[in-house]
Each structure stands twice: as C-alpha cells, then as structure tokens.
Amino acid sequence: MGNFAIYTAARKVSPDWVAKYQGLPVANVSDVLDRMVAAGPDLRPWYTGAPMIGPAVTVKARPGDNLMVHAALDLAQPGEVVVVDAGGDTTNAIIGELMVAHAIQRKLGGIVINGAIRDSAELLAGSFPVFATGVTHRGPYKDGPGTVNAPIAIGGMVITAGDLILGDADGVVAVPFDQVAEAHDRARAKHAAETQQMDAIRRGENDRAWVQKRLQDLGCTFA
C-alpha cells in the first residue's frame, strides 16, 4: 500500500450488527475482547449526546494535516465513523466546527481523531459524536500525504476499514469484523449479568464471598 492513496473497503459490518450492539457499554465490549485492545485514555468525547457506533472509515494523516480527512468525510456513507490516526500530535487541530457540520449534513456516525480538535466549546455543546486527544486553536495544513481505508493503529488498537467502532464516556473500542458476532453474544451476556448484579447490590443481597476466597487462593495472610 502506498502512503498517498484512497482504497475501497473490502467489507464492513452490516446495519443489523450495528443495531444489535446498540445499548452495550464500551466497557462490556472491551472486557469480552479480553481487555487487550484500547485506544488509550487520552481519547475523550467532545460532545454531549448518545454513544457512538458504526462501521469504520480509516484515515492515516500526517500530523497536523487534514487533507485526507476531508477526502474521507466526502467518501463516508451515512452512519459510518471516520477514524483518524494523526499520530497523536496536538500541535495543530485536525477538525473543527465546519468539518463537523459537514459530517452532520452527510449523516455520518461520528469522528475519532488521534490528535487535536478546535472549536471545542461548540463541539462539546453539540450532540454529534467527536472523540479526540487534545485541543488547540492552531489550524491544520492540507498537503497530505495519507491514506483512506488502509489499516491504522491507535494506542496499539488496530482498526481496519469496516470494523465496528463504539464510543461512550469511557472511550473508544474497535471490534474486528471477524469477531463481531462472538463479541456481541459475550458482551450481551456480560451486560445482563452486571444488570442482575446491580439489582442485587441495590437490594443488599450481593454475594461478596468470592473476595475472601480469592485472597485465600492467592495466599494472602491475615495478621
């Protein structure tokens, strides 16, 4: 793959799977992925609204440059989430209010930036999902190079075009295309179990015997 190219995604998760994941917390999905993938704690939401979910359109951008992000926003289909690896650099903003307005007009599902945004007050007051690692008033360049729909990695989490992207107040997680079915079933079961546990806590009936057993099994001494 070249470093200045736009590719066609080979596959993407279906709208049915997007609908099935609705209501599942990122934390539950992360747990069933064995706590092995995460986009890093610095990637935070900059909006006020519902959780983000949709197929990924991936962008690799040169730090401080948003030319390929503009290309991706024009190519992405309704409901898709544009996920940008801009190297985590926060010297220049990659998107701002105008680009988000364009994404809203195109009915996209969200934007994730491993880098900075600007117009943060306006974005934070809005309901369109935006995640980023920082804020700066300094604007971007538009020279490239970069790629659209090539694999990227954010915080060690590899994202391929068409993977499922979820985001909420806890952060962002990507579910690989070929793990979507298995992860959904496990996350749905975990969410149901935690809901039952919360009900037991509220009734004062939560069984805490496992704590003592775990300490004993690990050889903890009691003086």
Side-chain angles (χ1 to χ4, degrees):
M1 286 187 170
N3 291 323
F4 201 1
I6 297 173
Y7 300 96
T8 300
R11 75 289 185 276
K12 70 176 181 179
V13 293
S14 69
D16 287 344
W17 279 119
V18 173
K20 288 177 180 179
Y21 270 84
Q22 293 284 354
L24 284 177
V26 164
N28 288 157
V29 177
S30 178
D31 282 350
V32 303
L33 293 173
D34 300 317
R35 303 179 177 93
M36 291 293 291
V37 296
D42 293 333
L43 195 58
R44 307 305 306 158
W46 288 90
Y47 73 106
T48 303
M52 177 186 70
I53 181 170
V57 174
T58 58
V59 180
K60 177 66 175 178
R62 185 166 62 87
D65 191 289
N66 74 356
L67 177 61
M68 299 308 277
V69 182
H70 278 281
L73 291 180
D74 289 345
L75 290 170
Q77 299 301 302
E80 294 183 335
V81 177
V82 175
V83 185
V84 183
D85 176 20
D89 182 82
T90 55
T91 305
N92 299 81
I94 299 299
I95 66 165
E97 184 180 17
L98 293 177
M99 293 177 73
V100 168
H102 180 54
I104 292 171
Q105 191 275 332
R106 289 186 51 76
K107 297 180 172 58
L108 303 189
I111 303 176
V112 178
I113 306 288
N114 183 25
I117 59 168
R118 65 179 180 179
D119 305 322
S120 58
E122 290 79 6
L123 300 189
L124 191 59
S127 60
F128 182 80
V130 175
F131 289 77
T133 59
V135 176
T136 180
H137 54 79
R138 294 178 62 178
Y141 301 98
K142 294 174 174 60
D143 303 311
T147 59
V148 176
N149 283 332
I152 61 173
I154 299 177
M157 183 173 69
V158 177
I159 307 161
T160 302
D163 288 350
L164 184 65
I165 298 293
L166 299 95
D168 63 18
D170 285 342
V172 173
V173 69
V175 183
F177 178 86
D178 59 3
Q179 296 181 37
V180 166
E182 178 187 359
H184 168 268
D185 292 347
R186 294 176 63 197
R188 185 66 65 184
K190 183 171 182 59
H191 185 51
E194 289 191 355
T195 300
Q196 291 178 350
Q197 185 178 4
M198 180 63 76
D199 290 341
I201 290 171
R202 288 169 175 159
R203 295 192 305 267
E205 299 173 359
N206 190 36
D207 183 3
R208 302 289 295 170
W210 70 268
V211 179
Q212 187 79 3
K213 183 178 185 305
R214 182 64 172 160
L215 290 172
Q216 291 174 343
D217 289 347
L218 291 173
C220 179
T221 60
F222 297 84

